[in-house]
Amino acid sequence: MTVPLAVALSVLPSGEYSETPLSDDEIAHYLSTNYVTEAERLRRERHARRNNLYRDGGCDYMRSVIDRVFRDDTVKALRKEWVEHARFSNSLKRIVDEVSTVYSEPARRTVEGPEANEAAFRKLLHAMKFDEVMEHANRMLNLHRAILIGPRVRASSGNDREVVVDVITPDNAFAISDPNDPSRIIAWGIKVEYRSARKPDGWRVPAWHVWNDHESRYFDDKLAPCGPATPHGLGVCPLVPVSFHAEAIAGFWPGEEGEDLVAAQVAIWMANILLLKETKSATKQTTISGDVSAAPRGQSMDTET
């Protein structure tokens, strides 16, 4: 039997549900205390950086790396000029794409029953671009080590509806675990964006859409409910977690697994920056003349200057 989130979070240490479900204020306090944290922010930021680097972005991040590892302002400025030009070797993307071979050939999928069912099934797969979506899911799983996949009915032009499959990466999701068992996930929060030009009076912009086996509900950026809970009647949560780990991990997300590839990409990018910069600058021979005993110390060791 499925239960609302307010009931699931009211569980007692004995494992039984409290006679009184949590109020909206209690839900907001519980979620904000446990999931609006610095650790959660850093986790999502880490995976957002992976997405950005995989898609050939990350220039701002590399400039921040230069700010951290160099001290002299002139040295920083001279190297930042080459950041955009030195991203010609994306090892992170090449490795992820190389190991993501599950969909090198289209999968064969069939359904039992009349031939009409098979035809309708194939028409649906074609409309959803299912092979392309699952190839993308395969790559995102290898990149992030854990993802969510879920179907959704999307409104298109007019009153038309179409089925799409969402591949949700960890930077756009958080997992709500059982208060007594952190390895058991009871709900998922998915990042949403609404940019409607007109909003009802007093309407708070939703930032998260939380789903469990019983219902879905919108929450603001502080994880306070900003709308009523809507039972979906599916009996299961439509979001399917996918991970490489056979055993349950507390909180579901696999920590910093995969950061080795990110570090390798950052190191290669930095080496390319230094290579290009010195290729351009190293055109002069350093000479020393006269009495240098009184020369200032701590000068920039840079062929540009």
Side-chain angles (χ1 to χ4, degrees):
M1 182 182 69
T2 62
V3 297
L5 184 63
V7 174
L9 293 179
S10 71
V11 66
L12 301 172
S14 63
E16 298 178 351
Y17 294 128
S18 174
E19 295 181 359
T20 306
L22 267 60
S23 66
D24 284 357
D25 288 342
E26 289 176 315
I27 293 175
H29 180 266
Y30 178 85
L31 294 181
S32 63
T33 300
N34 291 280
Y35 300 103
V36 185
T37 63
E38 182 67 6
E40 271 291 300
R41 185 190 68 80
L42 291 175
R43 179 189 65 77
R44 292 199 296 270
E45 185 179 274
R46 184 167 63 245
H47 287 280
R49 182 161 56 247
R50 291 191 197 185
N51 273 339
N52 202 14
L53 289 171
Y54 178 82
R55 292 175 172 84
D56 297 324
C59 289
D60 288 341
Y61 177 70
M62 288 305 301
R63 293 186 185 99
S64 73
V65 172
I66 291 174
D67 281 332
R68 292 197 302 271
V69 300
F70 293 103
R71 294 183 180 180
D72 185 85
D73 289 339
T74 301
V75 170
K76 292 179 184 179
L78 291 171
R79 280 147 184 79
K80 286 180 181 179
E81 293 175 355
W82 291 96
V83 167
E84 294 183 1
H85 308 291
R87 51 178 171 176
F88 53 82
S89 179
N90 194 335
S91 59
L92 175 67
K93 181 169 65 175
R94 292 205 310 272
I95 292 172
V96 167
D97 289 354
E98 184 68 26
V99 300
S100 302
T101 58
V102 172
Y103 285 87
S104 296
E105 298 181 3
R108 295 181 180 179
R109 304 179 182 90
T110 59
V111 294
E112 297 180 355
E115 185 176 342
N117 289 352
E118 180 74 17
F121 178 62
R122 297 210 169 277
K123 182 179 179 181
L124 179 62
L125 292 179
H126 178 74
M128 291 191 298
K129 300 181 179 179
F130 202 69
D131 284 324
E132 292 88 341
V133 171
M134 295 308 293
E135 180 181 38
H136 172 64
N138 185 207
R139 291 174 177 175
M140 290 300 99
L141 177 59
N142 283 314
L143 177 64
H144 295 283
R145 318 306 292 174
I147 59 173
L148 300 175
I149 302 176
R152 175 169 57 91
V153 178
R154 178 172 63 190
S156 57
S157 59
N159 295 322
D160 293 338
R161 298 289 185 271
E162 58 184 2
V163 180
V164 296
V165 177
D166 290 327
V167 179
I168 304 163
T169 51
D171 54 312
N172 291 316
F174 71 95
I176 301 175
S177 58
D178 186 307
N180 293 339
D181 183 359
S183 66
R184 176 175 173 262
I185 306 303
I186 61 173
W188 299 97
I190 309 303
K191 188 72 174 175
V192 294
E193 289 187 11
Y194 290 94
R195 301 176 181 176
S196 301
R198 294 180 176 177
K199 303 177 179 64
D201 292 338
W203 188 69
R204 285 180 294 139
V205 179
W208 298 96
H209 197 183
V210 175
W211 293 80
N212 72 346
D213 292 343
H214 184 83
E215 64 190 7
S216 69
R217 192 173 191 182
Y218 289 103
F219 291 75
D220 63 16
D221 58 347
K222 302 299 183 183
L223 292 185
C226 57
T230 305
H232 50 63
L234 299 174
V236 294
C237 182
L239 299 169
V240 180
V242 185
S243 172
F244 283 113
H245 294 269
E247 74 284 357
I249 300 176
F252 178 71
W253 309 115
E256 296 192 16
E257 185 177 335
E259 282 296 294
D260 54 342
L261 293 181
V262 175
Q265 169 59 12
V266 170
I268 292 172
W269 195 343
M270 178 62 74
N272 291 340
I273 292 171
L274 300 178
L275 173 65
L276 290 180
K277 192 273 166 198
E278 285 304 298
T279 300
K280 178 259 183 185
S281 301
T283 58
K284 298 178 181 179
Q285 175 65 46
T286 302
T287 61
I288 300 176
S289 63
D291 182 10
V292 296
S293 61
R297 298 180 181 274
Q299 297 186 68
S300 171
M301 291 295 294
D302 194 292
T303 50
E304 188 84 6
T305 57

